[in-house]
Amino acid sequence: MGLQDIAAAVGTPCYVYDADLIRGAYATLDEAFEGYPHAIHYALKANSALAVVRLLHALGAHADANSLGEVDVATRCGFRPDQIIFTGVGKSAAEIDRAVSLGLLAINVESPGELDRIDQRAVAQGTVARVALRVNPDIDARSHPHISTGLKSNKFGVPIDEAPALFREMARRKGLRPVGAHVHIGSQITTLDPLTRAAEAVVALAHALRAEGIALQHLDMGGGLGISYDGGPVVNPADYVRALVTATRASGLQIAIEPGRVLVGPAGVLLTTVVDVKQFPGAKRFVVVDAGMTELMRPALYNAFHRIEPVVPRAGEPGPVDVVGPICESTDAYARDRLLAPVEVGDLLAVRDVGAYGAGMAHTYLRRPLSPEVMVERGEWRVIRRRQTLDELLSLEE
Ligand SMILES: Cc1ncc(COP(=O)(O)O)c(C=O)c1O
């Protein structure tokens, strides 16, 4: 069983996930806590394929949802409401209503106005909603600007200086019970220092609140741990967990983390077929493949790097090429001036590390149906989502 067989059976483009890599990544994080009270809330936004979410559930993860759809996916995959954290910078009235009625572990509050709306809905429902406050510590995650979230200039959370007053307000409200503080400063973070400083900031906040009689239960340190897309240095996940535990231990509070990418990113490859190769005198060599920004947005969105390799290498020296998709947008390129071994039309390429923010961000621009997803487990593979048909894509329309 190899990638070639899978591509031959389901066609390309297709995503292939390795369940054992996900298991291994989960175990590395979990074991690094060495018994310190914690919960690993898998961030469904990274990849919410039902089979992936069920796998994380079976491993003992809890869930972090960023929309009502993700909350419902989590419950359908077996998570109890008290294992689900709901985060979102603009929760609609319907989302708040349902989140309150489910009795989630925590709704992460993003603003004074939202605090008010959650309280009103909880009172109307005759219940008390568990809430955490998302604080913005104004710490530079030193990641790509499009995936940094913990700076004053970002739309997320409330400035940490405002947090004590808002916690007091939450404690006063009939419909709210403050249970945690939340911080998430960005994604694809590759140095430990900003993550440690963010953790220390929420621990200090929790200490100050306790002195006022507001006792939290958990500190939600968010997600954001980066992976090595290009072989460059990243934070060792066990070192990351140890740094969080060191920062938190004296408080005795439970640690929640919301990792996405580090759990599933390296477990996925995107298989794509070369559909054209062209080069004119004095110009670049273009390798055109059948996958594009519709299947993997990251290069077009943030110039992200993904390794690209022929599945069956041909003899010959690598040469510089642009690997581009078939979409009529100039940003639809997976790699520019990349050294690639010789390829011909019909060759299969593997785009690496697409398990996070790959299929989850896919879309159907140009009426391109969604591509299938395959899970490899114990030497066997199975389709966990088949290819969408054009009829299915059009079925909502008049
Ligand atoms: C609130 C929140 N939690 C968790 C995550 C997961 O981040 P990552 O996949 O980088 O671990 C994100 C993603 O940006 C997020 O916005």
Side-chain angles (χ1 to χ4, degrees):
M1 189 274 321
L3 293 176
Q4 265 184 311
D5 303 315
I6 295 173
V10 306
T12 59
C14 74
Y15 309 88
V16 183
Y17 308 127
D18 182 334
D20 287 337
L21 287 179
I22 298 176
R23 282 200 185 88
Y26 183 83
T28 300
L29 283 180
D30 196 33
E31 286 162 16
F33 279 96
E34 292 180 344
Y36 188 85
H38 68 280
I40 299 176
H41 289 258
Y42 170 56
L44 268 74
K45 67 186 290 197
N47 186 325
S48 57
L50 297 177
V52 171
V53 179
R54 279 191 213 110
L55 173 60
L56 267 310
H57 176 257
L59 294 176
H62 293 190
D64 168 51
N66 270 257
S67 69
L68 196 53
E70 287 189 352
V71 170
D72 283 341
V73 165
T75 56
R76 286 177 196 215
C77 290
F79 291 94
R80 296 190 317 261
D82 66 359
Q83 296 177 317
I84 302 172
I85 286 173
F86 179 30
T87 310
V89 75
K91 301 177 195 73
S92 69
E95 285 183 314
I96 291 173
D97 228 27
R98 177 141 169 86
V100 168
S101 71
L102 283 171
L104 303 181
L105 175 69
I107 305 175
N108 287 338
V109 176
E110 292 269 348
S111 72
E114 189 175 88
L115 180 160
D116 212 33
R117 290 188 286 277
I118 298 172
D119 179 45
Q120 282 173 21
R121 292 316 305 156
V123 170
Q125 290 184 27
T127 185
V128 178
R130 284 184 290 238
V131 285
L133 186 67
R134 179 168 184 174
V135 298
N136 183 327
D138 197 23
I139 290 173
D140 185 356
R142 295 199 291 272
S143 180
H144 189 280
H146 292 183
I147 44 177
S148 289
T149 56
L151 283 172
K152 247 193 197 132
S153 51
N154 297 128
K155 65 181 176 181
F156 301 95
V158 304
I160 195 158
D161 301 344
E162 308 283 336
L166 286 166
F167 270 106
R168 276 174 227 131
E169 185 60 29
M170 292 200 292
R172 270 197 293 273
R173 296 296 181 107
K174 264 206 176 72
L176 304 179
R177 181 149 75 91
V179 293
H182 174 228
V183 66
H184 173 79
I185 58 170
S187 195
Q188 184 53 17
I189 301 171
T190 55
T191 52
L192 190 52
D193 175 61
L195 292 161
T196 310
R197 284 195 294 136
E200 289 167 351
V202 284
V203 171
L205 173 64
H207 279 305
L209 292 171
R210 189 179 282 166
E212 294 190 28
I214 300 175
L216 303 181
Q217 289 167 6
H218 73 257
L219 296 178
D220 177 353
M221 307 297 195
L225 196 60
I227 61 173
S228 185
Y229 286 99
D230 60 359
V234 290
V235 179
N236 176 312
D239 290 346
Y240 159 71
V241 168
R242 281 192 283 266
L244 296 184
V245 173
T246 302
T248 313
R249 192 182 295 282
S251 75
L253 291 172
Q254 159 141 342
I255 298 176
I257 54 173
E258 304 172 344
R261 190 187 311 268
V262 74
L263 290 176
V264 296
V269 297
L270 173 63
L271 297 179
T272 182
T273 303
V274 176
V275 292
D276 198 9
V277 179
K278 64 178 177 181
Q279 181 168 31
F280 296 101
K284 287 183 168 196
R285 185 171 175 81
F286 291 100
V287 172
V288 188
V289 295
D290 65 357
M293 62 197 287
T294 37
E295 287 70 34
L296 180 64
M297 281 283 277
R298 300 189 67 257
L301 257 189
Y302 359 88
N303 223 359
F305 179 97
H306 285 267
R307 285 176 292 146
I308 303 174
E309 297 153 5
V311 171
V312 183
R314 291 178 182 276
E317 285 303 303
V321 298
D322 279 14
V323 180
V324 300
I327 317 287
C328 311
E329 300 285 340
S330 290
T331 53
D332 183 40
Y334 281 170
R336 299 187 200 273
D337 302 316
R338 179 80 63 86
L339 282 182
L340 189 73
V343 293
E344 292 179 14
V345 169
D347 284 3
L348 188 63
L349 301 184
V351 184
R352 298 284 171 188
D353 304 312
V354 305
Y357 309 108
M361 281 189 173
H363 50 103
T364 56
Y365 184 40
L366 301 192
R367 298 295 199 183
R368 287 165 59 84
L370 297 173
S371 291
E373 296 172 273
V374 167
M375 182 76 87
V376 179
E377 204 160 12
R378 294 184 200 93
E380 310 264 311
W381 65 270
R382 65 184 201 279
V383 175
I384 58 168
R385 180 183 72 185
R386 64 171 172 76
R387 191 178 300 283
Q388 190 179 35
T389 66
L390 187 64
D391 282 344
E392 285 167 336
L393 200 163
L394 301 179
S395 63
L396 303 177
E397 298 179 31
E398 168 176 79

